[in-house]
Amino acid sequence: MKRIYLIVAAMLAMMQGLAQNVQLHYDFGNAFYDDLKGRPQVTTTVEMFKADKWGSTFFFTDIDYYGDGAAGAYWEFAREFRLGKQSRWAAHIEYDGGLTSIKNTTVASRFQHALLVGPAWNWASADFSKTFSLQAMYKQYFNGQGRKGFPGFQLTAVWGNTFAKGLCTFSGFLDLWYDKDAKGKLIFLSEPQFWFNLNVIKGWDKVNLSLGTELELSCNFVYDKEGKNDKFYAVPTLAAKWTF
């Protein structure tokens, strides 16, 4: 699981200045695909989004688990600087990196360190119930994971829609990026999520719990038990989220 850009966090942050959440996902990858046996089944995610007068800061950490301990971790940190007080445009800078492994195999690798910079275009409806962002970034990989650094690019779309009087949220992201060693030189990843927000139920206003699911759609991203990443997968999860 690469990233969980939850628009509901961004929406709350735009209204209150700060939003953070913790998520727990149970992954069905090794149940649905024989070649993903050994894939970690549990992931925790910690996210934080904070808006300020200059722009916004966002980070998240994913940690994957086997039954006997952590399997790996992934980290992203992003900072945006608004290009004018009323402008929808921003300058985006981001760092990506981490470590992952597959149990009972020799597959263990680091996500190659990468720095991304480029423009971002952000939009929100008047009540912030609908949000959308586009990012077009230059991506510089650094030496690591047995490979020399190389230049690339990444295109990212992030969306969110909270409806049914706040009960439901549909959010997610889509990434497409260049990798010189990937099949076709491109990697695709999208993680749409659907949440039921229990705090809008009468008498549950202090229970900031959301229950839902995520569907990880990827091509040339997920490594199988033989250490190859040249296939398409659609991996669902069951998930819970607590927003602070």
Side-chain angles (χ1 to χ4, degrees):
M1 187 173 297
K2 179 176 179 288
R3 72 168 67 185
I4 318 287
Y5 257 126
L6 291 181
I7 297 299
V8 66
M11 181 184 72
L12 290 171
M14 293 176 73
M15 292 186 288
Q16 301 176 359
L18 175 66
Q20 51 193 342
N21 67 79
V22 176
Q23 301 172 31
L24 177 66
H25 290 260
Y26 185 86
D27 184 292
F28 291 96
N30 63 18
F32 283 27
Y33 297 95
D34 289 339
D35 58 353
L36 294 186
K37 298 298 184 184
R39 176 181 168 98
Q41 291 179 286
V42 176
T43 298
T44 57
T45 299
V46 177
E47 292 185 323
M48 190 279 289
F49 182 100
K50 179 173 173 54
D52 56 47
K53 65 179 180 179
W54 302 106
S56 63
T57 300
F58 173 83
F59 72 79
F60 82 88
T61 300
D62 278 349
I63 302 177
D64 298 323
Y65 301 90
Y66 293 123
D68 58 358
Y74 180 82
W75 157 266
E76 288 190 9
F77 180 90
R79 174 69 198 184
E80 287 193 356
F81 298 93
R82 286 199 306 269
L83 302 178
K85 290 184 178 181
Q86 304 301 321
S87 177
R88 292 177 178 170
W89 290 94
H92 184 101
I93 182 169
E94 178 179 325
Y95 164 79
D96 301 346
L99 174 70
T100 188
S101 66
I102 300 178
K103 196 174 185 179
N104 299 324
T105 72
T106 59
V107 179
S109 63
R110 289 169 291 161
F111 289 95
Q112 193 167 2
H113 292 301
L115 181 68
L116 300 86
V117 293
W121 184 85
N122 304 307
W123 173 86
S125 61
D127 61 357
F128 298 103
S129 63
K130 298 177 179 63
T131 56
F132 185 73
S133 177
L134 285 174
Q135 302 157 19
M137 295 171 286
Y138 169 82
K139 187 172 188 176
Q140 177 62 50
Y141 291 91
F142 296 98
N143 293 341
Q145 202 179 357
R147 304 194 301 175
K148 291 184 178 180
F150 60 93
F153 68 87
Q154 180 170 308
L155 304 176
T156 294
V158 188
W159 71 88
N161 183 15
T162 297
F163 56 97
K165 298 182 179 180
L167 177 64
C168 301
T169 297
F170 175 65
S171 59
F173 74 90
L174 183 156
D175 284 341
L176 180 70
W177 71 94
Y178 170 85
D179 188 308
K180 65 183 182 64
D181 296 323
K183 183 179 180 181
K185 309 296 184 183
L186 293 173
I187 296 177
F188 167 83
L189 176 66
S190 183
E191 293 182 352
Q193 297 183 337
F194 186 86
W195 297 101
F196 290 102
N197 305 309
L198 303 185
N199 63 352
V200 303
I201 299 174
K202 186 176 181 180
W204 289 50
D205 56 300
K206 295 183 179 180
V207 181
N208 296 322
L209 179 66
S210 299
L211 301 176
T213 183
E214 174 184 277
L215 182 62
E216 182 186 272
L217 304 169
S218 67
C219 186
N220 303 335
F221 174 70
V222 175
Y223 284 85
D224 63 21
K225 61 184 179 181
E226 296 180 355
K228 297 180 180 179
N229 66 325
D230 57 357
K231 299 182 181 69
F232 172 84
Y233 295 99
V235 178
T237 75
L238 285 178
K241 177 183 64 173
W242 188 273
T243 300
F244 296 91

